[in-house]
């Protein structure tokens, strides 16, 4: 059966559409056969000259025609001696078949890479690239160990289901802002459904003008009518909140031992929370578990001040912060250097540092050999509450015992205005909410540089059977601005999953639990005269569905009840935030 599949797979299918591009590049429209007979539509660029060239593959659900209209990388790469294949994933735009998000990307990714690697014009070495969905499909393909894959660049993307679909155990809610504007238009077109636009641009405009908040507030989640016509997978995700083998179709965390090629990983401090989590975990798993010395030793990690899929040479301002001219990066040039080494064997292109980190506050890059940085010193700042005010302090030693309590009402959740594309902004309005606790250090008498994962160890209790807790780390400027140092969707925990994502365990009302909130990544120098601030609350809408607090099945729950939540501090309950502080080093 395998041999017959491969014979069919390797049969080239190129349509008559053929064009000479003005940059001495040939552009062809192709159909790439999958092992089950479905054909995926593609656009192929290659140099207009004889010979063989390394291949580069980009797979997307967002229309290769749209991408082809603005992207510079395919032409740049073709002009530098690469054959570049752009492919609509199964069931999207040019491609045949039925689209179900992520479901067939493992075998399809393998088949596309092997098709490309066996073309007469290809040297047999193939690279892949792309961010977000075009990023995770690369990890999924790598888990299948395609023989012709020699390099990959999964950008701003996860490696596993439970820091993607259920971050911290809470369901990731903005799928509404993905399916409706970006997926449904083509699905309506295929079904000849005239109830809405058939193209993404008008679909996006229509969605953004609508009352989206009512859909985010709809309960129960499992009965949401909006996605039922064209996204049945959404409801299956809701039915599988635990980490289990059901998620294997979109999880590669157990597959790194099969991966033979180095990777070029990139994310940003304001990327969606799964981005830095996926990049850093992926980098370390490649370093420790990959199948070849090349993959273990030559993978690259870059972490900048960017938000999701925002990277270009000219963009340096995000939200309310301008990170200066160093913040931009010529990603295309760096990626081609990476390919030149691993697809063309040019050792002169091997000078990219293993780890590059942008440090906010001073807006400078650090080049490193590892992640996390072993010389970073875990430094604790303890919460010191008042018991009477929601404004506490951060201190270097535990103080008097205190209980800081607030009421979390899921019908009025904390709402992040930057949820569509996270960015840094002044948090004082958010911090003024009655359901947000704020702990601030004294004014710093010297700089404190922090690089790595931020973790909070909190002692908490609740009057409810289940609730959520979340943290935000901010840099407080002398003028009072409180600027978040990461996307607000990071640092989240649903209490029923405090012991692990494989099972649920409800709370006993009033009992004190020690919890850890991590998965917050940043690099920032808190300058002399600034202050460090930690905010704690119990919701981050619409990133996550607000916890109903009832303890029942969340997807089926329509009732929302307030929860009285408490953070304990002091000698008995030493709640703290742990910062990976850099020792005093002159740069």
């Amino acid at each position: 059966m395998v041999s017959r599949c491969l014979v069919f797979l390797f049969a080239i299918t190129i349509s008559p559409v053929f064009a000479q591009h003005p940059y001495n590049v040939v552009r062809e429209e192709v159909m790439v056969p999958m092992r089950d007979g479905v054909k995926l539509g593609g656009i192929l660029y290659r140099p207009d000259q004889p010979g063989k060239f390394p291949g580069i593959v980009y797979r997307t659900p967002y229309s290769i025609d749209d991408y082809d209209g603005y992207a510079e990388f395919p032409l740049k790469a073709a002009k530098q001696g690469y054959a570049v294949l752009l492919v609509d994933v199964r069931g999207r735009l040019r491609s045949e078949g039925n689209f179900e998000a992520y479901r067939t990307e493992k075998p399809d990714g393998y088949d596309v890479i092997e098709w490309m690697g066996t073309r007469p014009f290809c040297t047999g070495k193939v690279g892949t690239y792309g961010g977000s969905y075009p990023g995770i499909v690369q990890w999924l393909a790598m888990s299948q160990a395609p023989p012709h894959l020699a390099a990959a660049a999964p950008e701003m993307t996860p490696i596993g289901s439970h820091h993607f679909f259920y971050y911290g155990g809470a369901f990731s809610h903005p799928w509404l802002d993905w399916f409706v504007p970006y997926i449904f238009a083509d699905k309506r077109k295929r079904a000849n459904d005239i109830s809405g636009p058939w193209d993404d641009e008008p679909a996006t405009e229509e969605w953004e003008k609508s009352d989206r908040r009512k859909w985010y507030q709809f309960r129960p989640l499992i009965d949401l009518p909006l996605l039922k016509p064209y996204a049945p997978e959404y409801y299956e995700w809701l039915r599988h909140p635990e980490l289990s083998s059901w998620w294997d179709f979109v999880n590669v965390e157990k597959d790194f031992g099969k991966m033979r090629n180095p990777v070029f990983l990139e994310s940003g401090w304001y990327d969606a929370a799964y981005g830095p989590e996926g990049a850093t975990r992926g980098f370390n798993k490649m370093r420790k578990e990959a199948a070849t010395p090349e993959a273990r030793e030559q993978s690259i990690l870059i972490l900048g001040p960017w938000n999701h899929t925002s990277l270009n040479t000219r963009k340096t301002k995000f939200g309310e912060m301008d990170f200066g001219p160093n913040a931009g990066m010529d990603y295309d040039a760096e990626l081609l250097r990476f390919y030149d080494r691993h697809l063309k064997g040019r050792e002169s292109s091997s000078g990219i540092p293993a780890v590059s980190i942008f440090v906010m506050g001073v807006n400078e890059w650090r080049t490193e050999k590892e992640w996390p940085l072993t010389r970073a010193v875990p430094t604790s700042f303890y919460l010191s509450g008042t018991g009477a005010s929601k404004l506490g302090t951060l201190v270097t030693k535990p103080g008097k015992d205190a209980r800081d309590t607030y009421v979390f009402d899921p019908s009025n959740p904390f709402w992040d205005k930057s949820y569509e594309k996270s960015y840094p902004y002044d948090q004082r309005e958010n911090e003024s909410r009655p359901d947000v606790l704020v702990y601030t250090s004294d004014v710093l008498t010297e700089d404190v540089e922090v690089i790595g994962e931020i973790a909070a160890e909190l002692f908490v209790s609740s009057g409810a059977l289940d609730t959520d807790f979340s943290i935000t780390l901010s840099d407080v400027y002398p003028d009072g601005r409180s600027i978040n140092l990461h996307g607000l969707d990071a640092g989240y925990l649903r209490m029923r999953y405090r012991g692990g994502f494989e099972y649920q365990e409800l709370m006993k009302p009033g009992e004190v639990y020690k919890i850890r909130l991590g998965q917050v990544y940043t690099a920032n120098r808190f300058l002399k005269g600034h202050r460090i601030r930690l905010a704690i609350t119990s919701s981050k809408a619409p990133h996550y569905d607000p916890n109903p607090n009832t303890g029942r099945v969340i997807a089926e729950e329509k009732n929302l009840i307030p929860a009285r939540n408490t953070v304990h501090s002091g000698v008995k309950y030493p709640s703290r935030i742990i910062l990976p502080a850099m020792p005093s080093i002159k740069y």
Side-chain angles (χ1 to χ4, degrees), residues 424-572:
Y425 67 98
D426 191 345
Q427 295 296 305
R428 284 179 291 183
E429 181 178 353
N430 292 334
E431 292 164 357
S432 69
R433 287 177 57 101
D435 58 355
V436 178
L437 302 178
V438 179
Y439 301 88
T440 309
S441 74
D442 289 338
V443 174
L444 299 175
T445 58
E446 61 182 17
D447 292 358
V448 176
E449 187 166 290
V450 171
I451 300 177
E453 182 182 9
I454 310 303
E457 290 181 355
L458 304 179
F459 291 86
V460 301
S461 61
S462 176
L465 295 171
D466 186 34
T467 195
D468 297 349
F469 286 95
S470 136
I471 60 172
T472 300
L473 180 68
S474 293
D475 186 342
V476 181
Y477 284 66
D479 62 7
R481 286 176 297 146
S482 178
I483 303 298
N484 54 301
L485 297 175
H486 54 87
L488 298 191
D489 53 337
Y492 203 91
L493 179 64
R494 180 147 289 172
M495 287 296 288
R496 67 175 66 192
Y497 294 110
R498 64 191 180 278
F501 301 130
E502 297 83 3
Y503 64 95
Q504 301 183 27
E505 183 180 7
L506 297 180
M507 297 186 295
K508 295 179 180 179
E511 185 166 325
V512 178
Y513 298 95
K514 181 181 179 181
I515 61 172
R516 183 185 188 276
L517 285 82
Q519 299 179 315
V520 178
Y521 300 89
T522 197
N524 183 70
R525 183 182 289 186
F526 295 89
L527 299 177
K528 177 181 177 180
H530 288 221
R531 291 178 293 164
I532 301 168
R533 176 169 291 169
L534 179 71
I536 300 173
T537 189
S538 290
S539 59
K540 288 287 181 65
H543 297 292
Y544 308 109
D545 62 301
N547 197 318
N549 297 323
T550 63
R552 294 191 282 266
V553 177
I554 289 178
E556 299 174 2
E557 183 60 84
K558 65 167 55 176
N559 297 314
L560 307 178
I561 63 173
R564 189 171 181 84
N565 294 339
T566 300
V567 175
H568 302 258
S569 60
V571 175
K572 184 178 181 181

Side-chain angles (χ1 to χ4, degrees), residues 30 111 117 224 227 300 310 362 405 429 441 444 497 505 548 570 585:
V30 302
D111 291 357
L224 177 75
L227 303 185
I300 302 297
S310 64
V362 287
T405 299
E429 181 178 353
S441 74
L444 299 175
Y497 294 110
E505 183 180 7
I585 296 176

Side-chain angles (χ1 to χ4, degrees), residues 165 183 257 374 458 571:
F165 293 86
I183 302 301
T374 54
L458 304 179
V571 175

Side-chain angles (χ1 to χ4, degrees), residues 2 63 82 85 91 125 148 160 163 219 239 272 300 325 330 388 513 523 532 534 552:
V2 173
S63 174
Y82 291 93
L85 176 64
K125 288 192 173 185
H148 290 90
H163 59 266
R219 293 294 183 279
R239 292 185 181 98
I300 302 297
D330 191 341
Y513 298 95
I532 301 168
L534 179 71
R552 294 191 282 266

Side-chain angles (χ1 to χ4, degrees), residues 247-262:
W247 289 101
D248 285 351
F249 73 97
V250 72
N251 197 352
V252 303
E253 295 192 74
K254 298 178 182 178
D255 297 321
F256 280 80
K258 307 174 189 175
M259 299 182 185
R260 302 193 304 263
N261 58 276

Side-chain angles (χ1 to χ4, degrees), residues 382-385 395 397-403 459 568-576:
Y382 294 88
L383 279 58
S384 180
V395 295
K397 294 181 180 179
K400 295 181 179 180
D401 291 346
R403 296 158 49 99
F459 291 86
H568 302 258
S569 60
V571 175
K572 184 178 181 181
Y573 297 118
S575 292
R576 60 177 177 159

